[in-house]
Amino acid sequence: MLNIWGVILYLRLPWITAQAGIGLTWVIILLSSCITGITGLSTSAISTNGKVKGGGTYFLISRSLGPELGGSIGLIFAFANAVAVAMHTVGFAETVTDLMYENGAVMVDRINDIRIIGIITVTCLLGISLAGMAWESKDNQYFSLSLSEQFDKLTILISTADIFATNFVPGWRGPEGSFFGMFSIFFPSATGILAGANISGDLKNPTVAIPRGTLMAIFWTTISYLIISATIGACVLRDASGLLNDTLLPSSTVQDCVGLACQYGWDFSECINNTCTYGISNYYQSMSLVSAFAPLITAGIFGATLSSALACLVSAPKVFQCLCRDKLYPLIGIFGKGYGKNDEPLRGYLLTYIIAACFILIAELNTIAPIISNFFLCSYSLINFSCFHASITNSPGWRPSFRFYSKWLSLLGSVICVVIMFLLTWWAALIAFGVVFFLLGYTLYKKPAVNWGSSVQASSYNIALSQCVGLNHVEDHVKNYRPQCLVLTGPPSSRPALVDLVTCFTKDLSLMICGNIVTDGPSASVVEKASSESHVSWLNQRKVRSFYRGVVARELRSGVNMLLQGAGLGRIKPNVLLMGFKKDCCSETPQAAHNYIGILHDAFDLQYGVCILRLTEGLDKFNIFMSIKCKKNNNLLCIQKASLPIGAEPQRSTVFQKKQGKKTIDVYWLSDDGGLTLLLPYLLTRRKRWARCKVRVFVGGDADKREDLSAYRQNTTILPLKVITCGCIGLISRQPQTVHIKRSLLLLCMSPDSTMPVGIRGVCPNTLYLAWLDFLSHDLRPPVLLVRGNQENVLTFYCQ
């Protein structure tokens, strides 16, 4: 709130109220708060997309969304804060100059006096900043105290309905007299909402504090602006002479007096030509005239202007220092150097000081404020667009714990900012976005050697393809990880359940290869069977985006090994193997069990994750889509006929094609295998047909393990597994337990260091291991997916 309240509140809000009227002033305030509120929601989402270590706004955005958007926002935001130093300093200098003029003290003239006082003030603020953050914090606390004290003791004169009604409608004057002219001057008073994000490293729990503090500050400052504009507009006339002798004489009549003031015994007829120097249309210090004690208003102005100027003077170099250290742009690396134990950006302070001093020489608050509005609107537009882009790309790394945001609302906020920029000053908006597109294009072209993940290259297809054409490794980040699946289906039409499940993970976003192993000797007919186009036609008919690969081999394991090593090209290669459960393990030979388990070991050796799907009815059970044709023949039953294209294989419906409704996905998470076990249910819930499902994660172990799991920012319910272990026997407590928990207890007892137990080579017989898996899953009614990652991290914990 201290960073939002500033010079505009004291020195320009009464004047804006006189120009736009109370009604349109409320519209200006609410429109500004709407923009900052939407931006606050987007910032809250970005700042909760991982554990924040520090680094401010630029750090949060760049590490969450990548260098392309982060660099553009960081540079513009740093420059906007540097110009804001000038605006607040000029407001302070203007107030001091007015006080000097009221007491007959003049140095040169009004404009040059503002310049002199402004340069002296910003130099003193620079000294405080260079002295260290401890001094800066103490000064801000002092300024905050004076500001709060002023608001507590500020009282307003008794208002009248006539004055309120007169000042409610606009009274445009001068070249700035328009709605958007007033908006451009007021909007900087709504900025400062990123103050919490800028000190993210100093907050105990930034993922909670930043959203709560930012949104509450926007709400309460908006209320204060609405109240102050209404009260001062209800008790001060637009024009007044300022002379106590301008009263109605007993000999004069009201008919000889012109204006609303006549009803209250004042004769301001001379102001009819706007020649008076007082009133809210003419006197910027009107607030001090209606307060109970005018020096408190002056103290409030000093506190607000100096504290805001000091905050901007500190935040701009910090953001710029972080940007320079990332080396996204050339020729700015020298400003990344830090000094002292606090790593102070002294060079950044000097650069900010020079920029602020140049704008202070303008010495006109009404000229500087629109410039700042343009840059802040540009920054907020980019922040909102970044939040929208991260949401619309469905990047797995975008999982903010703050849920009260909307990607479409963020897009609306971005568009509103752009429209208002062009309505304010179209040529300045073109320049600003020209700079943004240049910075964005430069980053995309140069591909700086940073690896934070990227919202621009979010999908795995784009990542893989960009690698093939020679792009840098910037997109190769855990935030963009998606399962790129090799599915052992045999002919795809024979196991549609596997195909449909994997499609839920990869649809339109990452790689899927359906593998078919034909166990036979090599011959032309067998090769033709394995590579038949009918399989691709079936996938196309089912609208599945997948490649098909057929392999001829003497045995299943060798064929799978060929696929594991040969599938894909470059970065376009699978990282997860999916296969069906071998339900006939007890009736087949030990060699068959050995080959099946050997496939799992081969996949782990080649750094694949492994998933095994088991359905109660089996993977080859299905329902053919039917079209029903009915004939009325003495109320006989209808005749069913399959409706299929000529030469096409039948399309079979599976449970994974249906809308799941309000069901539950239960995950039994025994230890961290890289996060694949948690990533898959999250990807499922991103699909429309699974969107209403709730995810429950059952976790064994102590409370710290559950807390670590919650830091992965998934909208899940985390429940403990109540287990008493004795050797390899899981004893269930007497409270009712589901069959799922019973299975997980055995799983935990057998293999406490893995998610899906894997028999140790040479120690655990393969037939026994398959019997374990069969016992775990054979009588479970819902589909069961046994998952084991390859220990590669696929979920992010920290923001970076």
Side-chain angles (χ1 to χ4, degrees):
M1 293 174 71
L2 179 62
N3 281 270
I4 294 174
W5 283 324
V7 60
I8 303 297
L9 168 65
Y10 294 97
L11 299 183
R12 291 298 183 269
L13 185 57
W15 176 71
I16 293 173
T17 304
Q19 289 270 359
I22 298 173
L24 285 183
T25 300
W26 283 350
V27 175
I28 291 173
I29 294 171
L30 292 176
L31 178 58
S32 301
S33 299
C34 178
I35 293 173
T36 56
I38 294 175
T39 307
L41 293 174
S42 299
T43 304
S44 299
I46 294 172
S47 63
T48 59
N49 189 40
K51 187 175 180 180
V52 180
K53 287 185 175 180
T57 306
Y58 161 73
F59 189 86
L60 290 173
I61 294 173
S62 62
R63 268 53 174 184
S64 292
L65 307 177
E68 302 87 0
L69 296 171
S72 304
I73 296 173
L75 203 57
I76 292 177
F77 184 73
F79 185 78
N81 275 273
V83 180
V85 175
M87 183 189 73
H88 294 297
T89 304
V90 168
F92 171 80
E94 184 179 293
T95 303
V96 174
T97 302
D98 289 342
L99 291 175
M100 292 171 55
Y101 271 60
E102 290 174 2
N103 293 278
V106 180
M107 290 185 288
V108 183
D109 55 49
R110 178 178 172 80
I111 295 297
N112 285 306
D113 287 356
I114 292 176
R115 290 169 178 164
I116 294 171
I117 296 172
I119 294 297
I120 294 173
T121 302
V122 76
T123 304
C124 295
L125 293 177
L126 176 65
I128 295 175
S129 301
L130 294 178
M133 284 297 293
W135 283 28
E136 189 270 336
S137 299
K138 293 179 181 178
D139 289 337
N140 260 345
Q141 291 173 7
Y142 171 76
F143 295 145
S144 176
L145 177 63
S146 66
L147 184 64
S148 301
E149 183 181 7
Q150 181 272 323
F151 269 109
D152 291 340
K153 296 184 178 180
L154 174 64
T155 57
I156 305 300
L157 295 180
I158 298 175
S159 62
T160 64
D162 292 335
I163 298 177
F164 182 89
T166 301
N167 288 340
F168 191 83
V169 296
W172 307 116
R173 298 181 186 178
E176 299 121 340
S178 65
F179 177 84
F180 286 105
M182 293 301 103
F183 178 89
S184 66
I185 295 173
F186 173 81
F187 186 73
S189 68
T191 60
I193 62 172
L194 301 180
N198 285 332
I199 59 170
S200 56
D202 300 325
L203 301 175
K204 182 179 180 180
N205 190 356
T207 57
V208 175
I210 291 176
R212 183 180 299 173
T214 301
L215 298 176
M216 288 182 65
I218 293 173
F219 175 79
W220 288 115
T221 52
T222 300
I223 296 298
S224 68
Y225 287 148
L226 293 173
I227 293 175
I228 291 174
S229 63
T231 50
I232 199 164
C235 63
V236 183
L237 297 172
R238 282 190 168 99
D239 297 288
S241 65
L243 301 176
L244 294 177
N245 294 330
D246 283 348
T247 58
L248 285 175
L249 299 176
S251 59
S252 61
T253 61
V254 177
Q255 287 76 14
D256 298 330
C257 182
V258 179
L260 182 62
C262 304
Q263 302 178 20
Y264 304 99
W266 297 92
D267 186 3
F268 294 153
S269 300
E270 62 183 272
C271 299
I272 194 67
N273 296 321
N274 302 330
T275 57
C276 293
T277 56
Y278 285 87
I280 56 177
S281 290
N282 309 299
Y283 189 53
Y284 290 142
Q285 306 286 341
S286 296
M287 258 197 192
S288 61
L289 299 180
V290 298
S291 65
F293 186 54
L296 281 180
I297 292 292
T298 304
I301 295 174
F302 288 175
T305 54
L306 294 178
S307 66
S308 298
L310 191 58
C312 293
L313 185 59
V314 170
S315 63
K318 291 287 188 181
V319 172
F320 195 56
Q321 181 188 37
C322 189
L323 175 64
C324 294
R325 286 180 171 175
D326 290 335
K327 299 179 181 180
L328 300 182
Y329 308 110
L331 306 179
I332 62 174
I334 59 174
F335 296 103
K337 183 176 176 57
Y339 296 87
K341 64 178 182 179
N342 293 327
D343 196 30
E344 294 292 341
L346 301 185
R347 297 176 181 178
Y349 283 130
L350 294 176
L351 178 62
T352 303
Y353 171 79
I354 293 172
I355 295 174
C358 292
F359 280 89
I360 286 173
L361 295 178
I362 298 176
E364 180 53 58
L365 195 61
N366 291 358
T367 303
I368 300 175
I371 298 175
I372 294 177
S373 296
N374 190 68
F375 281 106
F376 272 111
L377 283 170
C378 185
S379 299
Y380 293 168
S381 175
L382 289 172
I383 290 173
N384 286 313
F385 180 76
S386 300
C387 182
F388 164 77
H389 195 275
S391 302
I392 202 69
T393 54
N394 280 323
S395 172
W398 177 251
R399 303 186 311 278
S401 57
F402 181 79
R403 301 293 175 182
F404 305 102
Y405 77 98
S406 166
K407 59 185 176 184
W408 302 116
L409 190 62
S410 297
L411 178 62
L412 176 63
S414 180
V415 172
I416 290 175
C417 290
V418 173
V419 171
I420 292 179
M421 285 179 65
F422 280 93
L423 289 175
L424 296 182
T425 313
W426 65 268
W427 56 267
L430 286 177
I431 293 175
F433 280 101
V435 172
V436 170
F437 290 135
F438 173 79
L439 296 175
L440 179 62
Y442 179 86
T443 309
L444 290 172
Y445 176 73
K446 284 296 186 179
K447 302 178 291 293
V450 293
N451 191 16
W452 310 326
S454 171
S455 176
V456 176
Q457 299 283 351
S459 76
S460 296
Y461 269 136
N462 287 338
I463 295 170
L465 291 174
S466 62
Q467 294 290 343
C468 285
V469 297
L471 291 183
N472 209 318
H473 64 279
V474 60
E475 297 90 4
D476 185 16
H477 193 277
V478 60
K479 294 176 184 175
N480 299 325
Y481 180 94
R482 276 188 177 274
Q484 302 186 97
C485 301
L486 172 60
V487 192
L488 298 184
T489 60
S493 58
S494 66
R495 289 191 169 183
L498 264 176
V499 174
D500 293 336
L501 173 63
V502 176
T503 303
C504 295
F505 300 144
T506 66
K507 185 173 177 59
D508 299 336
L509 293 170
S510 58
L511 178 66
M512 174 179 173
I513 299 177
C514 290
N516 179 19
I517 313 298
V518 178
T519 55
D520 202 341
S523 66
S525 60
V526 173
V527 172
E528 182 180 357
K529 177 184 177 182
S531 59
S532 173
E533 289 294 326
S534 62
H535 305 308
V536 177
S537 300
W538 184 89
L539 291 171
N540 292 336
Q541 184 183 350
R542 204 173 182 84
K543 297 181 180 180
V544 174
R545 294 188 61 180
S546 173
F547 295 103
Y548 169 79
R549 181 69 183 274
V551 174
V552 178
R554 290 290 183 184
E555 58 179 4
L556 178 65
R557 181 179 179 182
S558 61
V560 173
N561 203 293
M562 293 167 60
L563 280 178
L564 291 173
Q565 298 187 61
L569 175 65
R571 293 292 300 175
I572 309 179
K573 60 180 298 185
N575 51 30
V576 177
L577 172 67
L578 288 102
M579 54 195 301
F581 183 77
K582 191 174 183 60
K583 63 177 182 178
D584 53 356
C585 58
C586 297
S587 60
E588 289 202 3
T589 63
Q591 184 61 35
H594 175 76
N595 290 338
Y596 183 82
I597 301 303
I599 292 174
L600 304 184
H601 288 298
D602 292 342
F604 294 137
D605 291 341
L606 294 171
Q607 297 300 305
Y608 278 73
V610 174
C611 300
I612 300 177
L613 174 65
R614 182 170 190 179
L615 301 177
T616 303
E617 65 276 13
L619 299 181
D620 53 353
K621 301 296 183 182
F622 48 81
N623 296 316
I624 300 179
F625 294 146
M626 295 288 184
S627 65
I628 302 177
K629 298 181 180 180
C630 296
K631 293 183 179 180
K632 291 184 178 180
N633 185 9
N634 298 326
N635 296 324
L636 293 178
L637 295 177
C638 294
I639 302 173
Q640 292 186 350
K641 293 184 178 180
S643 177
L644 293 172
I646 298 175
E649 291 191 54
Q651 291 295 313
R652 296 148 177 130
S653 65
T654 67
V655 65
F656 302 112
Q657 290 181 312
K658 303 175 182 177
K659 286 189 176 181
Q660 301 301 319
K662 293 184 178 180
K663 295 183 179 179
T664 302
I665 303 174
D666 284 340
V667 180
Y668 300 97
W669 192 79
L670 304 182
S671 66
D672 188 3
D673 60 350
L676 183 63
T677 310
L678 299 175
L679 177 63
L680 294 182
Y682 170 76
L683 294 177
L684 281 178
T685 57
R686 297 297 293 269
R687 306 269 72 82
K688 289 184 179 180
R689 69 186 68 158
W690 298 79
R692 301 179 67 187
C693 293
K694 182 178 68 174
V695 178
R696 294 188 304 183
V697 181
F698 294 89
V699 184
D702 52 20
D704 293 339
K705 191 173 181 181
R706 294 193 293 273
E707 291 178 1
D708 292 341
L709 180 61
S710 63
Y712 283 113
R713 312 180 315 282
Q714 300 216 59
N715 189 20
T716 59
T717 302
I718 302 173
L719 302 172
L721 282 176
K722 297 181 179 180
V723 184
I724 305 174
T725 59
C726 178
C728 282
I729 301 176
L731 301 179
I732 305 174
S733 58
R734 292 186 178 180
Q735 62 181 7
Q737 301 286 343
T738 65
V739 68
H740 306 291
I741 297 181
K742 186 185 297 185
R743 296 295 180 266
S744 65
L745 299 182
L746 181 61
L747 203 66
L748 176 64
C749 186
M750 289 182 175
S751 185
D753 60 345
S754 65
T755 305
M756 181 180 72
V758 176
I760 303 176
R761 297 179 186 177
V763 176
C764 178
N766 293 330
T767 52
L768 176 60
Y769 169 63
L770 277 179
W772 286 350
L773 294 185
D774 180 66
F775 182 78
L776 284 172
S777 56
H778 80 278
D779 59 350
L780 298 185
R781 184 167 174 265
V784 177
L785 188 67
L786 300 172
V787 182
R788 180 183 174 94
N790 61 0
Q791 309 305 318
E792 175 187 353
N793 288 327
V794 300
L795 289 175
T796 53
F797 182 85
Y798 288 98
C799 177
Q800 54 273 55

